[in-house]
């Protein structure tokens, strides 16, 4: 199959409709894209800081943070020490900037929402430095969301 035929086939698939919501293309300006990432980061000093109160606050805060930065929050899972997120974002946003914005904004809002948090951990740094990030294809997103 030539490259031209391959593009024609993709166009037919797009017109027929996507089988999964994660197959849909997003558009902006003169671009069409489908960018997904799995990201994970630790709470400060890898301590089990994500108790029930903080988990509830995070669940309320995270959609607002993503909306403010025009990211799409697809799913998240919290362990006592880590946050795991599946996100969609624009190609003009670097992964490092996306994670930095999320960590900074969620930390700030968590300290506002949970009054005793600063006393419990001693500083206003909620998240540890660093992160893990992996890009995902649209066919990888749905199985992860179902888990």
């Amino acid at each position: 199959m030539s490259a031209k035929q391959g593009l024609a086939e993709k166009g037919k698939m797009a017109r027929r409709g996507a089988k999964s919501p994660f197959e849909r293309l997003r558009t902006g300006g003169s671009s069409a894209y489908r960018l997904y990432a799995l990201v994970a980061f630790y709470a400060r000093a890898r301590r089990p800081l994500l108790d029930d109160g903080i988990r509830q606050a995070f669940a309320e805060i995270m959609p607002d943070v993503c909306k403010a930065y025009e990211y799409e929050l697809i799913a998240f899972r919290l362990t006592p020490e880590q946050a795991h997120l599946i996100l969609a974002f624009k190609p003009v946003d670097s992964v490092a900037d996306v994670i930095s914005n999320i960590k900074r904004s969620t930390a700030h809002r968590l300290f506002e929402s949970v009054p005793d948090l600063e006393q419990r951990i001693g500083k206003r740094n909620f998240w540890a430095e660093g992160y893990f990030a992996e890009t995902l294809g649209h066919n990888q997103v749905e199985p992860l969301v179902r888990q």
Side-chain angles (χ1 to χ4, degrees), residues 53-75:
I54 292 176
R55 286 174 191 238
Q56 183 178 358
F58 185 90
E60 293 170 6
I61 291 166
M62 195 60 206
D64 293 337
V65 169
C66 287
K67 185 176 181 181
Y69 288 103
E70 297 182 6
Y71 309 145
E72 183 181 346
L73 177 64
I74 295 168

Side-chain angles (χ1 to χ4, degrees), residues 16-17 23 25 42 46 65 68 91-92 94 105 123 125 133 144:
R16 283 191 299 235
E23 285 185 60
L25 290 173
Y42 280 98
R46 295 189 179 185
V65 169
V92 295
S94 74
S105 297
K123 287 186 178 180
N125 296 340
L144 287 172

Side-chain angles (χ1 to χ4, degrees), residues 96-107:
D97 288 344
V98 169
I99 295 170
S100 176
N101 291 338
I102 287 172
K103 287 171 69 173
R104 182 182 57 252
S105 297
T106 56

Side-chain angles (χ1 to χ4, degrees), residues 33-50:
Y33 55 92
R34 184 172 38 220
L35 291 173
Y36 298 105
L38 168 66
V39 300
F41 40 88
Y42 280 98
R44 189 168 147 254
R46 295 189 179 185
R47 292 172 47 196
L49 299 176
L50 296 165

Side-chain angles (χ1 to χ4, degrees), residues 1-130:
M1 180 185 303
S2 72
K4 206 175 218 183
Q5 289 171 326
L7 288 174
E9 274 303 305
K10 282 187 177 183
K12 287 179 189 174
M13 283 179 49
R15 285 190 297 272
R16 283 191 299 235
K19 296 175 187 172
S20 161
F22 306 112
E23 285 185 60
R24 109 182 129 78
L25 290 173
R26 290 161 179 79
T27 57
S30 60
S31 301
Y33 55 92
R34 184 172 38 220
L35 291 173
Y36 298 105
L38 168 66
V39 300
F41 40 88
Y42 280 98
R44 189 168 147 254
R46 295 189 179 185
R47 292 172 47 196
L49 299 176
L50 296 165
D51 61 20
D52 290 338
I54 292 176
R55 286 174 191 238
Q56 183 178 358
F58 185 90
E60 293 170 6
I61 291 166
M62 195 60 206
D64 293 337
V65 169
C66 287
K67 185 176 181 181
Y69 288 103
E70 297 182 6
Y71 309 145
E72 183 181 346
L73 177 64
I74 295 168
F76 71 89
R77 180 178 301 157
L78 301 175
T79 68
E81 297 117 14
Q82 293 181 25
H84 300 253
L85 314 170
I86 299 176
L87 301 164
F89 52 92
K90 295 178 181 179
V92 295
D93 298 320
S94 74
V95 174
D97 288 344
V98 169
I99 295 170
S100 176
N101 291 338
I102 287 172
K103 287 171 69 173
R104 182 182 57 252
S105 297
T106 56
H108 178 75
R109 292 182 189 194
L110 284 171
F111 282 110
E112 289 178 346
S113 302
V114 183
D116 68 330
L117 185 58
E118 192 170 358
Q119 289 175 325
R120 286 177 27 202
I121 64 173
K123 287 186 178 180
R124 285 191 65 95
N125 296 340
F126 187 81
W127 301 112
E129 288 185 33

